[in-house]
Amino acid sequence: MRYLAIGDIHGSMGALSALEDYVSFTQADRLITLGDHVDRGPDSRAVLDWLIKRKEAGTLIPIRGNHELMMSAACKSERHYDEWIACGGDAVLRSYARSGSKGEIEDIPDAHRQFVERDCRPYFETGTHFFVHASVYPDLPLDEQPDYMLYWEKFNDPAPHESGKIMVCGHTPQRDGVPRSIGHAICIDTHIYAGGWLTCLDVQTGEYWQANERGQVRAGVLDSDA
């Protein structure tokens, strides 16, 4: 079984489709998406359809990101709605828009709201790795981490976690398009929504594959800064 981590997708269905073909995902793979599935990119609706299909098939472990938190809050509060729109939520609504409309919250299907609000997890761990959207405090167990660390903290060369496991995260865009590894922590947000790359990492081998919205693909192996 491969554990394949996928960085922040941000509604970039073109890149996700190209990555799926390039990596050749199988039923035996476990795909771990690191949050920020929505916002900013052109087709959050199609991304959520893709993710829900794979979760129902038992091959997907979705992690919650700060953009899922903002979308959930926007569905419940006008104040949070305005904040969400300013952070890329307008692109989400456009992906649901019917002919002649700009898209409304009411256009989002219940299954998509449930995925964003309830199906995504705060973290996931294996025997050797753990997966979060943003970061963690090194001296706190995963089930005691505050929301700020899990969803909002930047990747600022964090110290090794007390568990001894390797952290795999997204959230902090690597604007050069290359995943960043410091040995005990790896960030694979490679800035897809701003013309960068979407990254899929095999956490056991260090091999990674990337695609962009134009359908271009490339591959590499992690180079640790540690």
Side-chain angles (χ1 to χ4, degrees):
M1 177 191 297
R2 296 186 298 180
Y3 284 101
L4 302 176
I6 299 176
D8 305 34
I9 301 169
H10 279 299
S12 301
M13 190 63 220
L16 184 58
S17 294
L19 199 60
E20 178 180 20
D21 292 341
Y22 188 37
V23 182
S24 298
F25 301 143
T26 73
Q27 188 68 28
D29 295 327
R30 289 299 172 265
L31 307 180
I32 304 147
T33 51
L34 297 178
D36 286 5
H37 310 100
V38 299
D39 292 353
R40 294 178 171 159
D43 208 344
S44 291
R45 179 177 189 166
V47 167
L48 291 178
D49 279 335
W50 190 96
L51 294 169
I52 289 168
K53 179 179 178 181
R54 277 145 191 82
K55 186 174 186 302
E56 290 174 346
T59 60
L60 177 73
I61 301 161
I63 304 299
R64 182 180 300 115
N66 60 302
H67 283 265
E68 279 73 50
L69 291 180
M70 288 190 283
M71 183 173 173
S72 297
C75 291
K76 304 168 186 174
S77 160
E78 184 174 344
R79 177 175 68 85
H80 289 112
Y81 173 88
D82 292 339
E83 294 172 351
W84 177 55
I85 293 298
C87 292
D90 56 334
V92 175
L93 295 183
R94 284 196 297 272
S95 74
Y96 291 98
R98 291 166 285 188
S99 179
S101 77
K102 64 178 182 179
E104 305 291 343
I105 284 282
E106 293 74 20
D107 297 329
I108 302 174
D110 289 344
H112 287 200
R113 292 193 192 201
Q114 177 176 315
F115 179 87
V116 169
E117 294 177 9
R118 291 184 284 173
D119 292 347
C120 295
R121 307 182 185 194
Y123 62 87
F124 173 71
E125 59 183 322
T126 67
T128 55
H129 293 74
F130 68 88
F131 305 82
V132 295
H133 176 62
S135 193
V136 294
Y137 283 120
D139 55 350
L140 284 181
L142 293 179
D143 60 2
E144 296 180 15
Q145 294 289 332
D147 285 357
Y148 173 78
M149 292 300 293
L150 291 173
Y151 305 122
W152 299 96
E153 175 68 357
K154 294 298 185 181
F155 188 86
N156 293 318
D157 291 356
H161 189 251
E162 62 164 22
S163 66
K165 297 179 180 181
I166 297 170
M167 179 176 79
V168 183
C169 68
H171 184 63
T172 303
Q174 304 303 303
R175 289 176 169 80
D176 62 0
V178 179
R180 178 136 190 264
S181 172
I182 56 172
H184 59 269
I186 304 164
C187 180
I188 63 168
D189 177 359
T190 42
H191 218 207
I192 180 61
Y193 72 84
W197 297 84
L198 181 63
T199 295
C200 174
L201 170 69
D202 184 328
V203 302
Q204 291 149 314
T205 68
E207 184 178 6
Y208 65 84
W209 305 265
Q210 297 181 301
N212 62 27
E213 274 292 275
R214 298 183 298 279
Q216 296 170 317
V217 294
R218 65 186 190 182
V221 178
L222 285 179
D223 182 12
S224 176
D225 294 342

